[in-house]
């Protein structure tokens, strides 16, 4: 198994990514190898400073980087030697089993679709994020930013993708899938949710439990919450602010501590032909370590193959 990691992506690259790789190494089996993609002249001194044997990793050298503010499609096309472009080429060629980066998220989405392609039958891939539950568990929300505008059949597919991830990677048996709405009643919502609800109600592809509201994000009414990417991204950014606000107010609370993005690593891209994880731009070493472990779990569970089988 070869797990690809973009060392140059993110606000604190390359140091945070290198330290995250070092932290992940003891948790990987001898057959699970990290491939670091980036400037080896910056990577190896950081390994040396931390007393880490560089022979534990494999390296693909490049000095070109896609900046956080660059146009995603233009950057992928115009910078074929960037760490993100190289990572996706290796993934496409089967020389990597997964690829993760805390770099330009738009470039990561474009790169995934251009290289390993969308799984046949899937209209649009989606981004997912994790929701801490008051009961102690964790839920999943899809989509959180890849698709601002959606149609009912796209949301139906998001339900399938989220259910498969929750069951296979998160270990939730028969995940409860719900549609985010402005009310629990069947007839509530805008045109999109009103058209989506009957599709989900009639499907046998996942365990649909009806509509949920914003106040249900962190309870146990659903394991997977489906929404368009515009709504999901607004809720994600709001949820992320809870942790920051508790720190600013000097509050210590175990539940709100679980809103720290570092605990989850990154956002899996669901619906493409290989495991891809997009990390937060401000990813710390802990976040990078968890992003690597998340990539490993997506490989070992055979998630992509199970999604491909579901959409045949």
């Amino acid at each position: 198994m070869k797990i690809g990691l973009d060392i140059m992506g993110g606000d604190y690259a390359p140091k945070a990514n290198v330290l995250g790789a070092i932290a992940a190494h003891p948790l990987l089996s001898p057959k699970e190898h990290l491939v670091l993609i980036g400037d080896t002249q910056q990577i190896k001194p950081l390994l040396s400073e931390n007393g880490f044997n560089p022979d534990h990793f494999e390296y693909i050298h490049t000095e070109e980087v896609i900046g956080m503010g660059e146009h995603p499609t233009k950057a992928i096309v115009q910078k074929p030697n960037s760490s993100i472009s190289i990572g996706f080429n290796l993934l496409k060629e089967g020389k990597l089993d997964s690829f993760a980066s805390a770099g330009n998220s738009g470039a990561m989405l474009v790169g995934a679709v251009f290289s390993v392609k969308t799984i046949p039958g899937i209209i649009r891939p989606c981004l997912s994020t994790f929701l801490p539950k008051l009961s102690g568990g964790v839920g999943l929300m899809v989509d959180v930013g890849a698709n601002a505008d959606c149609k009912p059949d796209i949301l139906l597919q998001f339900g399938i993708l989220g259910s498969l991830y929750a069951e296979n990677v998160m270990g939730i048996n028969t995940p409860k899938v719900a549609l985010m709405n402005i009310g629990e009643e069947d007839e509530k919502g805008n045109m999109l949710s009103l058209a989506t609800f009957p599709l989900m109600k009639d499907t046998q592809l996942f365990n649909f439990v009806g509509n949920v509201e914003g106040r249900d994000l962190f309870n146990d009414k659903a394991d997977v919450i489906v929404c368009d990417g515009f709504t999901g991204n607004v809720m994600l950014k709001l949820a992320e602010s809870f942790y920051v606000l508790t720190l600013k107010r000097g509050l210590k609370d175990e539940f709100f501590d679980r809103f720290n993005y570092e605990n989850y690593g990154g956002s899996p891209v669901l619906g493409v032909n290989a495991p891809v994880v997009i990390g937060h731009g401000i990813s710390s070493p802990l976040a990078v370590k968890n992003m690597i472990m998340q990539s490993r779990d997506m490989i070992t569970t055979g998630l992509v193959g199970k999604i491909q089988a579901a959409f045949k």
Side-chain angles (χ1 to χ4, degrees), residues 114-126:
F114 278 13
S115 61
V116 294
K117 312 293 184 185
T118 303
I119 291 171
I122 291 179
I123 305 168
R124 293 184 190 175
C126 62

Side-chain angles (χ1 to χ4, degrees), residues 168-180:
N168 291 286
V169 180
M170 300 170 69
I172 302 173
N173 293 322
T174 317
K176 296 176 290 185
V177 180
L179 178 65
M180 176 53 63

Side-chain angles (χ1 to χ4, degrees), residues 21-22 25-26 46-57 59:
I22 291 172
H25 174 72
L46 288 168
L47 296 174
S48 178
E49 288 173 14
N50 288 274
F52 190 83
N53 183 354
D55 294 339
H56 288 315
F57 298 145
Y59 306 89

Side-chain angles (χ1 to χ4, degrees), residues 22-100:
I22 291 172
H25 174 72
L27 305 176
L28 300 174
S29 75
K31 293 182 179 180
E32 297 167 349
H33 304 284
L34 269 176
V35 180
L36 309 188
I37 304 165
D39 187 351
T40 53
Q41 294 182 359
Q42 295 186 58
I43 296 171
K44 293 193 175 178
L46 288 168
L47 296 174
S48 178
E49 288 173 14
N50 288 274
F52 190 83
N53 183 354
D55 294 339
H56 288 315
F57 298 145
E58 297 180 33
Y59 306 89
I60 304 294
H61 176 75
T62 183
E63 298 175 17
E64 193 168 43
V65 180
I66 293 177
M68 299 297 274
E70 292 191 60
H71 187 279
T73 305
K74 288 182 180 178
I76 287 288
V77 173
Q78 295 173 359
K79 290 187 170 182
N81 294 318
S82 66
S83 52
I84 286 178
S85 296
I86 289 175
F88 278 119
N89 283 333
L90 293 171
L91 190 64
K92 177 183 177 181
E93 294 168 0
K95 295 178 181 178
L96 293 177
D97 296 298
S98 68
F99 180 53

Side-chain angles (χ1 to χ4, degrees), residues 205-266:
L205 298 171
F206 52 78
N207 176 27
F208 183 57
V209 295
N211 290 323
V212 291
E213 300 177 83
R215 61 187 175 188
D216 298 317
L217 278 180
F218 312 115
N219 61 34
D220 291 320
K221 286 189 177 180
D223 301 303
V224 178
I225 293 177
V226 176
C227 55
D228 62 83
F230 184 94
T231 302
N233 192 267
V234 170
M235 291 193 292
L236 169 62
K237 299 294 174 58
L238 175 63
E240 284 181 342
S241 73
F242 293 163
Y243 176 67
V244 177
L245 290 171
T246 58
L247 293 180
K248 287 183 176 180
R249 299 293 294 177
L251 302 174
K252 186 67 177 175
D253 184 274
E254 184 276 334
F255 175 66
F256 286 110
D257 287 347
R258 293 170 58 217
F259 281 78
N260 184 353
Y261 75 95
E262 296 175 311
N263 296 324
Y264 306 105

Side-chain angles (χ1 to χ4, degrees), residues 122-140:
I122 291 179
I123 305 168
R124 293 184 190 175
C126 62
L127 276 175
S128 53
T129 196
F130 302 97
L131 300 170
K133 300 291 188 178
L134 277 167
S135 62
V138 178
L140 192 73

Side-chain angles (χ1 to χ4, degrees), residues 152 156 179 186 192-203 208:
L156 178 69
L179 178 65
D186 297 7
L192 176 60
S193 56
L194 286 170
T196 302
F197 185 90
L199 294 181
M200 290 188 166
K201 186 176 181 180
D202 293 341
T203 189
F208 183 57

